[in-house]
Amino acid sequence: MIRRPPRSTPKPSSAASDVYKRQLDTLELWKFGDYKHYTSLKLMTNVLGIPSPKDDIDGSEIYRVFYKEKDLQRIIAYCQKDTLAVAQILLRLRNEPLLNAREINYI
């Protein structure tokens, strides 16, 4: 079950603990109750008809790309594509229109 966060702003306390409490781990969300396996972002995008962000590198290659190739821009692009894919998945699951290219801004 997906629950929306309350509309009211939580009372401030420890900044670190507040950030941690508001994070949504999609890996945990997409286990669908299974404690042994997980559903990958690549599989979710495929099943939901969303372009896969895994067209260049995946998470297992980040160490090599950062420390050996020193290609931070490639990692930035990887993270941007993953973020967009998660947003598109959440929109699809909410039965809302997906973002089109004109609605996406990279900063």
PDB file of all heavy atoms in Angstrom, residues 84-98:
ATOM      1  N   LEU A  84      14.582  10.554 -13.108  1.00  0.00           N
ATOM      2  CA  LEU A  84      13.472  10.718 -14.049  1.00  0.00           C
ATOM      3  C   LEU A  84      12.662   9.422 -14.152  1.00  0.00           C
ATOM      4  O   LEU A  84      11.433   9.453 -14.157  1.00  0.00           O
ATOM      5  CB  LEU A  84      13.996  11.132 -15.417  1.00  0.00           C
ATOM      6  CG  LEU A  84      12.941  11.252 -16.516  1.00  0.00           C
ATOM      7  CD1 LEU A  84      11.863  12.269 -16.147  1.00  0.00           C
ATOM      8  CD2 LEU A  84      13.599  11.616 -17.834  1.00  0.00           C
ATOM      9  N   ALA A  85      13.344   8.287 -14.204  1.00  0.00           N
ATOM     10  CA  ALA A  85      12.642   7.004 -14.303  1.00  0.00           C
ATOM     11  C   ALA A  85      11.755   6.768 -13.082  1.00  0.00           C
ATOM     12  O   ALA A  85      10.614   6.313 -13.208  1.00  0.00           O
ATOM     13  CB  ALA A  85      13.640   5.865 -14.468  1.00  0.00           C
ATOM     14  N   VAL A  86      12.258   7.072 -11.893  1.00  0.00           N
ATOM     15  CA  VAL A  86      11.452   6.907 -10.667  1.00  0.00           C
ATOM     16  C   VAL A  86      10.236   7.822 -10.709  1.00  0.00           C
ATOM     17  O   VAL A  86       9.121   7.412 -10.379  1.00  0.00           O
ATOM     18  CB  VAL A  86      12.304   7.157  -9.394  1.00  0.00           C
ATOM     19  CG1 VAL A  86      11.423   7.211  -8.160  1.00  0.00           C
ATOM     20  CG2 VAL A  86      13.361   6.069  -9.251  1.00  0.00           C
ATOM     21  N   ALA A  87      10.429   9.063 -11.141  1.00  0.00           N
ATOM     22  CA  ALA A  87       9.301   9.998 -11.248  1.00  0.00           C
ATOM     23  C   ALA A  87       8.254   9.465 -12.231  1.00  0.00           C
ATOM     24  O   ALA A  87       7.052   9.492 -11.945  1.00  0.00           O
ATOM     25  CB  ALA A  87       9.793  11.374 -11.692  1.00  0.00           C
ATOM     26  N   GLN A  88       8.709   8.956 -13.373  1.00  0.00           N
ATOM     27  CA  GLN A  88       7.776   8.423 -14.374  1.00  0.00           C
ATOM     28  C   GLN A  88       7.036   7.193 -13.838  1.00  0.00           C
ATOM     29  O   GLN A  88       5.837   7.030 -14.073  1.00  0.00           O
ATOM     30  CB  GLN A  88       8.533   8.068 -15.670  1.00  0.00           C
ATOM     31  CG  GLN A  88       9.224   9.236 -16.344  1.00  0.00           C
ATOM     32  CD  GLN A  88       8.290  10.215 -17.017  1.00  0.00           C
ATOM     33  OE1 GLN A  88       7.326  10.701 -16.425  1.00  0.00           O
ATOM     34  NE2 GLN A  88       8.593  10.548 -18.253  1.00  0.00           N
ATOM     35  N   ILE A  89       7.737   6.346 -13.101  1.00  0.00           N
ATOM     36  CA  ILE A  89       7.092   5.166 -12.521  1.00  0.00           C
ATOM     37  C   ILE A  89       6.004   5.583 -11.537  1.00  0.00           C
ATOM     38  O   ILE A  89       4.885   5.059 -11.561  1.00  0.00           O
ATOM     39  CB  ILE A  89       8.127   4.254 -11.832  1.00  0.00           C
ATOM     40  CG1 ILE A  89       8.982   3.547 -12.885  1.00  0.00           C
ATOM     41  CG2 ILE A  89       7.454   3.235 -10.914  1.00  0.00           C
ATOM     42  CD1 ILE A  89      10.187   2.825 -12.322  1.00  0.00           C
ATOM     43  N   LEU A  90       6.333   6.530 -10.667  1.00  0.00           N
ATOM     44  CA  LEU A  90       5.338   6.982  -9.690  1.00  0.00           C
ATOM     45  C   LEU A  90       4.128   7.605 -10.381  1.00  0.00           C
ATOM     46  O   LEU A  90       2.984   7.375  -9.975  1.00  0.00           O
ATOM     47  CB  LEU A  90       5.971   7.953  -8.694  1.00  0.00           C
ATOM     48  CG  LEU A  90       7.008   7.324  -7.764  1.00  0.00           C
ATOM     49  CD1 LEU A  90       7.696   8.388  -6.915  1.00  0.00           C
ATOM     50  CD2 LEU A  90       6.395   6.251  -6.886  1.00  0.00           C
ATOM     51  N   LEU A  91       4.360   8.366 -11.445  1.00  0.00           N
ATOM     52  CA  LEU A  91       3.237   8.933 -12.199  1.00  0.00           C
ATOM     53  C   LEU A  91       2.398   7.826 -12.821  1.00  0.00           C
ATOM     54  O   LEU A  91       1.164   7.869 -12.775  1.00  0.00           O
ATOM     55  CB  LEU A  91       3.746   9.894 -13.277  1.00  0.00           C
ATOM     56  CG  LEU A  91       4.303  11.215 -12.771  1.00  0.00           C
ATOM     57  CD1 LEU A  91       5.013  11.971 -13.889  1.00  0.00           C
ATOM     58  CD2 LEU A  91       3.202  12.069 -12.159  1.00  0.00           C
ATOM     59  N   ARG A  92       3.048   6.838 -13.409  1.00  0.00           N
ATOM     60  CA  ARG A  92       2.315   5.728 -14.045  1.00  0.00           C
ATOM     61  C   ARG A  92       1.497   4.963 -13.005  1.00  0.00           C
ATOM     62  O   ARG A  92       0.339   4.617 -13.237  1.00  0.00           O
ATOM     63  CB  ARG A  92       3.314   4.797 -14.733  1.00  0.00           C
ATOM     64  CG  ARG A  92       2.737   3.575 -15.387  1.00  0.00           C
ATOM     65  CD  ARG A  92       1.968   3.893 -16.651  1.00  0.00           C
ATOM     66  NE  ARG A  92       2.781   4.707 -17.523  1.00  0.00           N
ATOM     67  CZ  ARG A  92       2.965   4.522 -18.814  1.00  0.00           C
ATOM     68  NH1 ARG A  92       2.374   3.540 -19.411  1.00  0.00           N
ATOM     69  NH2 ARG A  92       3.704   5.317 -19.525  1.00  0.00           N
ATOM     70  N   LEU A  93       2.084   4.722 -11.825  1.00  0.00           N
ATOM     71  CA  LEU A  93       1.371   3.996 -10.773  1.00  0.00           C
ATOM     72  C   LEU A  93       0.193   4.795 -10.236  1.00  0.00           C
ATOM     73  O   LEU A  93      -0.773   4.218  -9.734  1.00  0.00           O
ATOM     74  CB  LEU A  93       2.323   3.626  -9.632  1.00  0.00           C
ATOM     75  CG  LEU A  93       3.391   2.580  -9.976  1.00  0.00           C
ATOM     76  CD1 LEU A  93       4.346   2.391  -8.809  1.00  0.00           C
ATOM     77  CD2 LEU A  93       2.756   1.260 -10.391  1.00  0.00           C
ATOM     78  N   ARG A  94       0.276   6.123 -10.338  1.00  0.00           N
ATOM     79  CA  ARG A  94      -0.838   6.987  -9.910  1.00  0.00           C
ATOM     80  C   ARG A  94      -1.811   7.247 -11.054  1.00  0.00           C
ATOM     81  O   ARG A  94      -2.740   8.023 -10.913  1.00  0.00           O
ATOM     82  CB  ARG A  94      -0.292   8.300  -9.376  1.00  0.00           C
ATOM     83  CG  ARG A  94       0.487   8.121  -8.084  1.00  0.00           C
ATOM     84  CD  ARG A  94       1.098   9.379  -7.623  1.00  0.00           C
ATOM     85  NE  ARG A  94       0.054  10.382  -7.398  1.00  0.00           N
ATOM     86  CZ  ARG A  94       0.239  11.526  -6.786  1.00  0.00           C
ATOM     87  NH1 ARG A  94       1.430  11.840  -6.346  1.00  0.00           N
ATOM     88  NH2 ARG A  94      -0.746  12.368  -6.628  1.00  0.00           N
ATOM     89  N   ASN A  95      -1.585   6.614 -12.198  1.00  0.00           N
ATOM     90  CA  ASN A  95      -2.420   6.762 -13.387  1.00  0.00           C
ATOM     91  C   ASN A  95      -2.480   8.224 -13.855  1.00  0.00           C
ATOM     92  O   ASN A  95      -3.529   8.714 -14.247  1.00  0.00           O
ATOM     93  CB  ASN A  95      -3.826   6.202 -13.140  1.00  0.00           C
ATOM     94  CG  ASN A  95      -4.522   5.857 -14.433  1.00  0.00           C
ATOM     95  OD1 ASN A  95      -3.868   5.554 -15.424  1.00  0.00           O
ATOM     96  ND2 ASN A  95      -5.835   5.921 -14.436  1.00  0.00           N
ATOM     97  N   GLU A  96      -1.339   8.875 -13.778  1.00  0.00           N
ATOM     98  CA  GLU A  96      -1.213  10.261 -14.230  1.00  0.00           C
ATOM     99  C   GLU A  96      -0.360  10.287 -15.489  1.00  0.00           C
ATOM    100  O   GLU A  96       0.419   9.369 -15.742  1.00  0.00           O
ATOM    101  CB  GLU A  96      -0.579  11.122 -13.134  1.00  0.00           C
ATOM    102  CG  GLU A  96      -1.438  11.236 -11.896  1.00  0.00           C
ATOM    103  CD  GLU A  96      -0.802  12.104 -10.816  1.00  0.00           C
ATOM    104  OE1 GLU A  96       0.127  12.872 -11.131  1.00  0.00           O
ATOM    105  OE2 GLU A  96      -1.234  11.993  -9.664  1.00  0.00           O
ATOM    106  N   PRO A  97      -0.485  11.349 -16.291  1.00  0.00           N
ATOM    107  CA  PRO A  97       0.327  11.413 -17.514  1.00  0.00           C
ATOM    108  C   PRO A  97       1.817  11.497 -17.192  1.00  0.00           C
ATOM    109  O   PRO A  97       2.211  12.142 -16.219  1.00  0.00           O
ATOM    110  CB  PRO A  97      -0.142  12.696 -18.209  1.00  0.00           C
ATOM    111  CG  PRO A  97      -1.177  13.313 -17.353  1.00  0.00           C
ATOM    112  CD  PRO A  97      -1.377  12.475 -16.139  1.00  0.00           C
ATOM    113  N   LEU A  98       2.608  10.847 -18.027  1.00  0.00           N
ATOM    114  CA  LEU A  98       4.054  10.902 -17.854  1.00  0.00           C
ATOM    115  C   LEU A  98       4.578  12.276 -18.261  1.00  0.00           C
ATOM    116  O   LEU A  98       3.934  12.994 -19.022  1.00  0.00           O
ATOM    117  CB  LEU A  98       4.736   9.830 -18.704  1.00  0.00           C
ATOM    118  CG  LEU A  98       4.380   8.383 -18.389  1.00  0.00           C
ATOM    119  CD1 LEU A  98       5.166   7.443 -19.285  1.00  0.00           C
ATOM    120  CD2 LEU A  98       4.612   8.058 -16.935  1.00  0.00           C
TER     121      LEU A  98
END
